[in-house]
Amino acid sequence: IRRFAKAKEEYLHHIREEEQEQFVHAEKSLTPADVQHMKRVFESRKKIEKSGATVDKKIRLKSK
């Protein structure tokens, strides 16, 4: 479980890094039309992917 917690932490760090650095940098190279298109595609894909997802009860880690 600790390994999964560490993997989750690393995954979330990666996502934050993309959102705060890489996407911001990439957006500077896109036209406003490109940005709007990408937002529409992202929102559409997000709805599709979330519709098929299931959420399981969270597991509590034992403290040391």
Side-chain angles (χ1 to χ4, degrees):
I1 291 180
R2 285 189 181 98
R3 287 182 184 167
F4 284 114
K6 180 67 175 164
K8 178 182 175 183
E9 178 183 320
E10 290 175 3
Y11 171 74
L12 292 175
H13 172 78
H14 172 75
I15 297 299
R16 281 190 300 274
E17 188 175 67
E18 281 185 341
E19 291 174 349
Q20 295 171 0
E21 296 174 18
Q22 296 171 356
F23 292 167
V24 172
H25 180 72
E27 190 172 9
K28 293 176 184 176
S29 302
L30 301 172
T31 67
D34 291 336
V35 173
Q36 288 303 316
H37 173 73
M38 292 179 77
K39 285 180 180 180
R40 282 192 301 273
V41 170
F42 176 79
E43 289 302 320
S44 172
R45 289 297 310 154
K46 186 165 95 172
K47 287 179 186 175
I48 292 168
E49 291 182 25
K50 285 179 89 174
S51 70
T54 58
V55 177
D56 295 330
K57 192 174 182 180
K58 289 189 176 186
I59 300 171
R60 293 188 178 218
L61 299 175
K62 293 181 182 179
S63 39
K64 292 181 181 180

